[in-house]
Structures are given as C-alpha cells and as structure tokens.
Amino acid sequence: MPRFSSTRRVNHSAQKMYALIADVEHYPQFLPLCEALVIKSREERNGRKILIADMTVAYKFVRETYGSRVMLDEERKRVFVEAISGPFRKLDNRWTIREVDEHSCDVEFYIDYEFKSRTLQLLMGSMFDYAFGKFSDAFVERADAFYGRSD
C-alpha cells in the first residue's frame, strides 16, 4: 500500500494553517489533482466538525470521484480524512499542526491509500505519489498568498 508523510516548518501560525487545511471547499483552487469538492453534509460531534464530501481527482483522461468523511478537530489542530466510497479500498489521510511559536508551526501530512483496482493503481499511483509530495508546498503557497509571505 502506498504511504507518504512529510513534516514542514511553516512561517504562519498554527491557527492560520489549520484554518487553511480545514477549508476543504477551496481545495480545487490550489490543490494538485483536485478538480472539484462538494460538501454533502455537516454535523458536530463532541466538539468536532464532521463533513461528508465528494472529491473529484483528475489527471489527463482519468477522472475519479470518491466520498470521504472529514473530521475537523480545531482544538488539537488536526484533520482526519477517510474514504467511504469510490475507487479506494483504503484512504487514511491526517494533517497535524503543531505550534512552534506565535508565528510558525510544523505541518505534518500523512496519507496511506490503496485503490480497489490494480489497473487504477497502475494508472494513477505514480501521479498520486508525485501530487502528495507537492501537497505541503501547495498549502504553504496558499498561506503565503492568503496571509502574506512572512520569512
């Protein structure tokens, strides 16, 4: 099963980075491979927001939509995503934001996934691996554009 993780020091507060990562509706504007994202439902449980969303990922002639459950834990600055329908047999995605000081934080990205179809794994696997490597960069670039660059 493909797995990817990275930790990156970011020159923005933990609260600002959490807000960007939790704003899943805007992912199509800047996230690699993300063509569309639709929130199907929202609820709150134990102080955490739970979203059910459909995300469409596309690369060249391949386009797949999958359903996911997104759990937003603002207090702990964590975002958890799991696939609930679509082409994945398994998708476990976690973001953890740790405050370093009031102007910087460490952003940890982790994903473990497996497609249901071997053919889809062969078609999309290497592109997903490449895109996941760029996710942290995409969020930092978005933060710099949104909040202003702070070196």
Side-chain angles (χ1 to χ4, degrees):
M1 291 179 286
R3 187 175 295 154
F4 179 85
S5 67
S6 70
T7 301
R8 180 148 178 200
R9 176 76 40 97
V10 178
N11 291 322
H12 296 285
S13 72
Q15 183 58 43
K16 286 180 177 178
M17 288 309 295
Y18 173 81
L20 261 173
I21 294 166
D23 187 16
V24 298
E25 291 171 284
H26 288 99
Y27 283 10
Q29 295 175 6
F30 68 94
L31 201 59
L33 301 182
C34 182
E35 183 177 86
L37 193 138
V38 176
I39 303 295
K40 311 275 279 194
S41 70
R42 299 172 193 267
E43 67 178 90
E44 193 156 325
R45 252 189 259 156
N46 301 322
R48 298 178 181 137
K49 294 178 183 168
I50 309 290
L51 310 176
I52 302 299
D54 283 347
M55 178 185 250
T56 301
V57 293
Y59 177 70
K60 294 188 179 181
F61 61 90
V62 179
R63 180 169 280 100
E64 291 285 337
T65 299
Y66 69 94
S68 62
R69 179 177 297 107
V70 181
M71 199 256 316
L72 305 172
D73 185 346
E74 186 171 6
E75 182 181 336
R76 292 186 176 95
K77 306 288 183 276
R78 294 181 183 171
V79 176
F80 300 95
V81 182
E82 66 177 328
I84 56 175
S85 66
F88 292 102
R89 175 172 291 125
K90 172 186 180 178
L91 181 124
D92 175 21
N93 172 214
R94 291 177 251 152
W95 291 93
T96 304
I97 300 97
R98 292 183 180 86
E99 183 176 324
V100 173
D101 59 38
E102 64 184 68
H103 302 292
S104 64
C105 65
D106 287 335
V107 177
E108 180 183 327
F109 171 74
Y110 170 86
I111 192 160
D112 183 3
Y113 71 97
E114 180 180 7
F115 287 101
K116 290 178 183 175
S117 156
R118 182 167 166 74
T119 303
L120 196 56
Q121 179 66 42
L122 291 171
L123 284 171
M124 297 284 286
S126 62
M127 188 75 255
F128 265 56
D129 292 343
Y130 174 79
F132 294 146
K134 298 293 183 187
F135 272 27
S136 293
D137 292 340
F139 280 96
V140 171
E141 289 169 17
R142 175 78 170 175
D144 288 346
F146 202 73
Y147 300 123
R149 193 168 169 84
S150 57
D151 295 316

